[in-house]
Amino acid sequence: MSLIQLEGVSKNFGGLRALAEISMTVDEGKILGIMGANGAGKTTLFNVIAGYLPPTTGNVLLEGKSLLGLRPDQVCRRGIARTFQIVKPFQNLTVMENLLTAAMFGSVLIRNRQQAVAHCQTVLKDLGMLGLADTPAHALTLSKQKKLELARAISTGCKVVMLDEVMAGLTPPEVSEMLGIIREQHHSRKLTILIIEHVMRALMQLSDRIVVLHHGERIAMGTPQEIADNPRVHEVYFGEQK
Ligand SMILES: Nc1ncnc2c1ncn2[C@@H]1O[C@H](COP(=O)(O)OP(=O)(O)OP(=O)(O)O)[C@@H](O)[C@H]1O
Ligand SMILES: [Mg+2]
């Protein structure tokens, strides 16, 4: 059984169809890359899966159970955490306090503050952020804020993490560092990952499979090589005929 299953998911905003009949599955432990031009529906897809937006039609299942009607915090406790494209830390809380909030409210496994502190210290250590534990979120650089988004998601003890452009705005060395962190976390925590990214180098290197959205429609799905060779993807995404 697939870990995540989408069945004919559509999302309309008034007359705009942001997602059109998206069906797909993600198997446990895999990395699914999601690509598409601005406005293609990528973030909307995450919002629907995470319970921020109800789909207009269709169903989202985790381990065969529908997530429809659950609030974002309930979806999170079922095991799906996400990062935000526009970083959304609690600005006046420290890095550690941000993680503790995620761990204590987002996880079913952590029962008390002591457990949460130990867990969050491990997450910070794994991401090379222990030295920033007491820094307020607003004082972080963009690349550190992106890492904090990832750390917060992981702190929930999730099985699935959805990463929305965690590499946007980063320098090439910072992208390489983030790639290494994602790979390491994927491996050590046995995460299933859905990743939206415009940085093609990253998406091609990380993904087992890639889905391509165009005006809300799924126009291609396959291995990175299959996507790179797909003429329709070239036409709509790179604006060229192959
Ligand atoms: N809450 C909303 N209300 C109305 N329209 C929305 C809402 N959220 C998204 N849209 C519209 O739905 C379409 C898809 O938006 P979405 O944010 O999912 O795109 P995206 O693929 O994530 O783009 P980007 O690469 O720019 O982040 C866009 O036309 C957007 O304007
Ligand atoms: Mg987006």
Side-chain angles (χ1 to χ4, degrees), residues 30-234:
K30 299 292 184 192
I31 301 183
L32 176 74
I34 299 165
M35 61 183 263
N38 294 124
K42 306 180 297 294
T43 297
T44 303
L45 188 71
F46 278 10
N47 284 337
V48 168
I49 295 172
Y52 286 79
L53 291 171
T56 306
T57 60
N59 202 355
V60 180
L61 302 104
L62 177 70
E63 293 169 322
K65 289 189 200 135
S66 175
L67 299 176
L68 288 197
L70 297 184
R71 297 186 310 262
D73 58 303
Q74 293 171 319
V75 174
C76 185
R77 270 184 232 114
R78 293 272 180 103
I80 303 181
R82 57 95 57 95
T83 67
F84 289 91
Q85 184 169 356
I86 298 165
V87 294
K88 285 190 180 178
F90 296 113
Q91 295 285 358
N92 293 323
L93 297 187
T94 65
V95 167
M96 182 51 123
E97 287 164 347
N98 266 280
L99 264 58
L100 286 175
T101 310
M104 294 184 72
F105 291 99
S107 168
V108 282
L109 301 172
I110 289 167
R111 304 239 176 263
N112 57 50
R113 190 179 162 89
Q114 206 181 353
Q115 266 183 0
V117 169
H119 170 66
C120 294
Q121 270 173 345
T122 309
V123 174
L124 284 179
K125 186 159 167 279
D126 289 351
L127 271 63
M129 295 178 77
L130 252 190
L132 295 170
D134 297 326
T135 305
H138 67 76
L140 299 175
T141 60
L142 175 71
S143 80
K144 300 278 186 331
Q145 291 205 11
K146 293 275 187 185
K147 271 180 143 180
L148 174 57
E149 281 286 303
L150 177 59
R152 271 207 311 177
I154 290 171
S155 295
T156 64
C158 56
K159 319 184 235 268
V160 180
V161 62
M162 302 196 293
L163 307 175
D164 196 348
E165 299 200 28
V166 284
M167 301 184 205
L170 303 191
T171 63
E174 289 168 346
V175 167
S176 297
E177 187 196 1
M178 187 63 98
L179 263 172
I181 290 172
I182 293 171
R183 274 211 191 91
E184 167 59 25
Q185 290 300 299
H186 171 242
H187 180 70
S188 64
R189 295 182 193 274
K190 305 196 178 355
L191 294 172
T192 303
I193 298 178
L194 279 63
I195 177 166
I196 296 171
E197 202 50 69
H198 286 290
V199 180
M200 292 308 296
R201 166 170 82 95
L203 211 59
M204 290 288 167
Q205 285 182 30
L206 278 174
S207 308
D208 294 298
R209 287 196 303 164
I210 293 176
V211 60
V212 186
L213 299 182
H214 182 60
H215 295 310
E217 288 184 22
R218 192 190 105 173
I219 61 159
M221 185 151 184
T223 63
Q225 194 57 54
E226 285 165 352
I227 295 301
D229 293 340
N230 185 311
R232 175 106 171 101
V233 174
H234 277 260

Side-chain angles (χ1 to χ4, degrees), residues 10-23:
S10 296
K11 181 67 192 175
N12 299 343
F13 295 111
L16 177 85
R17 178 153 260 214
L19 292 174
E21 299 278 335
I22 303 293
S23 294

